[in-house]
Amino acid sequence: MGMVNLAFLIVFPVVAAGVLLLVRNNRARSVVVIVSAAAIMIASAWLAVGHLFSETWYPPFEGEWVTILTLVIDVLCCAYIIVKGIRHKKPLAVALAAVQTVIIVAFELLIAHGMTIENNLYVDGLSVIMTLIIGVIGGGICIYALGYMHDFQVHEDDNDKPDRRPVFFALMFVFLSAMFAIVFSNNLTWLLCAWEVTTVCSFALIGYTRTPEAIDNSFRQIVMNLIGGLAFALALVYLGYSGILELDKLIAQGALGGLVIPLALLAVAAFTKAAQVPFQSWLLGAMVAPTPTSALLHSSTMVKAGVFLLIKLAPCFGWSYNGIMVVLVGGFTFLFCSFLAVSQSNAKRVLAYSTVANLGLIVACAGVGTPEAVWAAIFLLIFHAAAKSLLFLCVGTAEHHIGSRDIEDMDNLFVRMPILARLMALGMLCMFIAPFGMLISKWATIVSLVNTDNILLLFILAFGSAATFMFWAKWLGKVLAIAQQDPDVEKTVHPSEWFSLALMAALVLLLSVGFPFLSEFVVVPYLAHFAADILPGTTVWWGSISATIDFDNLIIMAVIVLALIAAFAVQFTRPKKPTASVYLAGVALDAEKRTYRNSLNGETQTTQRNWYLDGWLGEKTLEPIANIISILLIAVGLACSLLVTGGVL
Amino acid sequence: MTGLSFVFSLVGFGVLAPVIGCLLAGIDRKLTARLQGRVGPPLLQPWYDVRKLIVKQSAQVNSYQAFYVCMSLVLAVLAGAFFFAGGNFLLVVFVLTLSTLFFIIAAYSTRSPYAELGAEREIAQVMSYEPMVILISIAFYFALRTFDTGVVFSLDRPLILSLPLVFVGLLFILTIKLRKSPFDLSYSHHAHQELVKGITTEMSGRTLAMVEVMHWYESILFLGWVGLFLVWGSWFALIPAIIGISAVYFLEVFIDNNFARVKWQSMLKWSWVVTLVCCSLNIVLLYWLG
């Protein structure tokens, strides 16, 4: 039964994608998307029922033909990039894709061919958690896209652009399939294939609108991720020579201190996927794509593949050269991107920088490598996926109804889009403040860092968190501001959008309340199973496994969440009657509109912009510094891994 | 922190803190007046002010501001209760940050130009002191291998001996937290350096009364943080602790009266520099001492 379920999750989205490519009728497409997304959600939940709490399960599946299929898919992906690259005159992308094809084909035919693989697939607690994130959140985003893309296409029609929605939805579903393959593959060649498919899908999704900007940004994405893909392929070659082609065996060997070079290369591959500095610019550029793409790529899939791999490899890091590199790259990414987010007024760019920053935190936790840190990393991953997708979807809907994605234009959103503003506020609260998930996970990060004496990281965390508070609080303030009685413009939001928004909001609240139980019954058992099933008995350094934060304190936080929900529920239903108008220094003309009589006897409206600290924290100032530091760190890290293997260090 | 100690702490802090806080505020005003060559109001003037605010007719710009301020007050009390019950220091810090966030949102919700500017400045204040606050808890952990504040009553010697520079850093940001000049950017009790009334511009009547009471609670909580560094496992420790806390409070009033408000840029820059220098040197010191 489990095997069927697994096959369904990987194959069915591709079938759905095929159908969606052919369907041109809007209503038929809605039906297909909703039914497929629902089927994927149910299958994910079904898998969770069977495997969320149990030990690692290796489905008995030989699948020689799948390996051949992955080779074909790899070659097709590279061919697609080469064709696109030639058409748009991007020699770098063509060269990288060509080199990668040669390496992969040579590897498959010369090294991997004939090697026996014990287990091609696996299912454990973390892959089930990822399945739920991909299936439920990813599926929700696909449903949301129905309404969003309808409005989007209306705008495109005005500009005489063709309707390419069949391609869009097909890509979304292929993406889901590839992500499922990533979290179930124990065979590293399969993993690499799925990895490349996500790269190519996001390339096509970013370039969806075919504007010059979109095409440029999609090529930036493909170049950076091909660098990562190349690193992955090289790691595979090295591993092939060492006789290891399975993820669990790699982890077991790596945890004993071996395989330093392939681990360093895999870390670099994960950095590109997770958009760590200096690769962050592809994620920022990806914001030109329609918002469901951003939501899918940056909350539940694409970037999560990178951190997922690092979390898996975490026992191989710790206080080693690789571990230090991973910790520092993640830490500096968190610091600089939190600062950079302060300087942005474009809501999607704030979300993008915050995404990169939080991924940096997850990467740093994976680098620390202790069970405590992995516990924190898993919760960061879960809550980031839920809260960030809610926020992206909110911004997307707001943009279509107020005509802007600028935070300054979200003034008075509380009145103009009452429900949406509240959901957006919920998403923001979950991102940066106790008692919600992200902050508790950050708390756990602090605990795991003090227990491993990572002093530099603790300083980075302290200062970065201050910036985090600033950029969220000022945005939250704008959204919750209440002024004149503007008309309510959220009446035309599509039901599909409301459904997904409600789903994400419910997830955020349920997860926040259920945090202690999620820790007790899912994440801690997963860590124990993982250590028992995969890590060799000699790696005693992984130590005893327990929740990083005491159950009592988690319960306190959950109770505060419940109390806040109750308080807000009461407040929102109370009658609202202002009895005074704001103070405008005694010369107000219309207090609702904040206008006053100026010194020339004319009428002036007061405006108030948030602070963006652009001079200090702007992209021009910080980005070069961040890139240089990070490139140096990665270069030194790779050099060290070579020297260690060569016996010099 | 057990459930019972929490309940005791909640009741004790909930009842005693505003009383002591109010008296401290009265002493503050007396001292300030003397430093300025005035006689000053009666000791209980802060209480008379709040009592008057409570009976005033309600005038609200919107129905949310009072709610947010109320949430802020409740959370500040909760943070104090966690602290004095010997709970996790990070828990205290995070609950207090949530309280501050609600206060900021309260001001933003009015969309009043003056209140919004005050809120923006309050955010800058949070950004200035937050790294120090987090690093205090981290230094606390490095010194004692726990985040639970209760352990200070089982120490052989006070924490200030192992974390002297962190204590200096705490004093620096305490000026921001206690809303004393030169760092009283978001709102001040000195009329001469205020832009209308900062973050509290649109707060009046009971809402403003809640803000005042919250300030009393917070003052006691922050002085409790000072006390954390001064006590050890002996009843005798209470004497130097009380003397130390009083000295710190007097120092804050003294600074308040001798410095003009600075720009937020200076506040941010200097708090971060002090935080970096004090905490890093002190952690080096801790390692050196073993």
Side-chain angles (χ1 to χ4, degrees), chain A residues 339 411 414 422 429 432-435 439 443 446-447 450-451 453 455 458-459 462-463 465-467 469-470 473-474 476-478 480-483 553 556-557 560 564 567-568 571-572 574-585 594 606 608 610-611 613 616, chain B residues 1 58-64 67-68 71 75 78 82 88 90-91 94-95 97-98 101-102 104-105 108-114 116-117 120-121 123-124 126-127 130-131 134-135 138 141-142 145 147 196 201-202 264-265 268-269 272 275-276 279-280 283 287:
Chain A
F339 284 160
D411 220 354
F414 200 70
R422 285 157 172 82
L429 288 173
F432 83 110
I433 201 96
L439 201 278
W443 174 359
I446 294 178
V447 173
V450 288
N451 283 332
D453 289 344
I455 293 167
L458 286 164
F459 276 87
F463 285 95
S465 299
F469 183 89
M470 173 146 200
K474 66 185 186 179
L476 188 63
K478 275 283 173 203
L480 295 182
I482 305 163
N553 285 335
I556 289 174
M557 286 300 181
I560 297 177
L564 285 178
F568 274 93
Q571 171 64 18
F572 286 157
R574 269 174 39 183
K576 296 149 189 81
K577 268 182 295 179
T579 53
S581 44
V582 297
Y583 177 75
L584 292 169
R594 303 334 186 216
T606 59
Q608 178 86 40
N610 272 333
W611 294 357
L613 277 56
W616 291 12
Chain B
M1 182 178 70
S58 153
Q60 302 291 340
V61 179
N62 63 51
S63 61
Y64 285 90
F67 167 71
Y68 293 136
M71 296 294 285
L75 287 162
L78 198 61
F82 286 137
N88 191 306
L90 282 170
L91 178 70
F94 293 143
V95 173
T97 311
L98 181 62
L101 179 72
F102 273 114
I104 291 168
I105 295 174
Y108 262 113
S109 78
T110 62
R111 207 170 160 279
S112 142
Y114 298 104
E116 221 174 290
L117 189 58
E120 202 80 34
R121 289 178 168 187
I123 293 177
V126 175
M127 196 165 160
E130 198 70 359
I134 292 176
L135 286 168
I138 288 165
Y141 188 91
F142 275 131
R145 303 316 288 183
F147 285 112
V196 187
T201 301
E202 301 302 336
W264 65 265
Q265 287 92 337
L268 184 59
K269 201 160 57 190
W272 280 27
T275 303
L276 252 180
C279 291
S280 51
I283 286 174
Y287 272 86

Side-chain angles (χ1 to χ4, degrees), chain A residues 59-72:
Chain A
F61 182 60
E62 294 292 334
E64 271 295 318
W65 57 274
V66 180
T67 311
I68 298 163
L69 181 67
T70 58
L71 183 62
V72 173

Side-chain angles (χ1 to χ4, degrees), chain A residues 242-452:
Chain A
S242 316
I244 292 175
L245 274 185
E246 285 162 89
L247 184 61
D248 56 349
K249 297 207 167 61
L250 165 66
I251 297 167
Q253 283 272 320
L256 291 172
L259 303 174
V260 178
I261 292 176
L263 283 169
L265 288 169
L266 286 175
V268 173
F271 292 161
T272 60
K273 217 51 0 165
Q276 298 298 287
V277 181
F279 305 109
Q280 84 284 21
S281 62
W282 80 254
L283 195 148
L284 271 298
M287 293 300 148
V288 299
T291 301
T293 307
S294 315
L296 192 69
L297 261 56
H298 310 320
S299 72
S300 58
T301 61
M302 188 73 175
V303 294
K304 289 295 187 301
V307 290
F308 167 77
L309 181 64
L310 286 177
I311 292 174
K312 275 272 155 210
L313 297 177
C316 312
F317 298 130
W319 281 116
S320 64
Y321 289 103
N322 279 340
I324 293 168
M325 172 181 81
V326 174
V327 167
L328 290 180
V329 169
F332 277 108
T333 298
F334 170 70
L335 183 70
F336 281 111
C337 290
S338 299
F339 284 160
L340 283 164
V342 173
S343 70
Q344 302 297 315
S345 72
N346 178 333
K348 276 184 86 175
R349 285 184 80 82
V350 174
L351 292 182
Y353 272 123
S354 143
T355 299
V356 180
N358 283 301
L359 292 168
L361 212 52
I362 303 175
V363 168
C365 282
V368 171
T370 57
E372 278 182 331
V374 175
W375 188 93
I378 292 173
F379 277 108
L380 283 169
L381 185 147
I382 296 172
F383 280 97
H384 182 261
K388 202 43 87 52
S389 56
L390 173 62
L391 280 171
F392 268 117
L393 300 189
C394 282
V395 169
T397 300
E399 188 186 359
H400 274 173
H401 291 84
I402 64 172
S404 167
R405 55 169 76 160
D406 194 297
I407 290 171
E408 296 299 326
D409 295 326
M410 292 184 190
D411 220 354
N412 207 23
L413 198 66
F414 200 70
V415 176
R416 289 186 285 166
M417 306 188 78
I419 300 172
L420 190 85
R422 285 157 172 82
L423 295 181
M424 203 188 265
L426 172 68
M428 285 191 243
L429 288 173
C430 188
M431 283 303 299
F432 83 110
I433 201 96
F436 295 97
M438 285 304 277
L439 201 278
I440 303 178
S441 315
K442 207 182 258 179
W443 174 359
T445 310
I446 294 178
V447 173
S448 64
L449 291 174
V450 288
N451 283 332
T452 47

Side-chain angles (χ1 to χ4, degrees), chain A residues 138-162:
Chain A
I141 293 168
C142 290
I143 293 176
Y144 171 91
L146 284 172
Y148 183 93
M149 292 311 285
H150 179 266
D151 290 349
F152 188 87
Q153 193 55 43
V154 169
H155 183 72
E156 295 280 279
D157 284 343
D158 292 344
N159 298 334
D160 290 328
K161 295 267 190 69

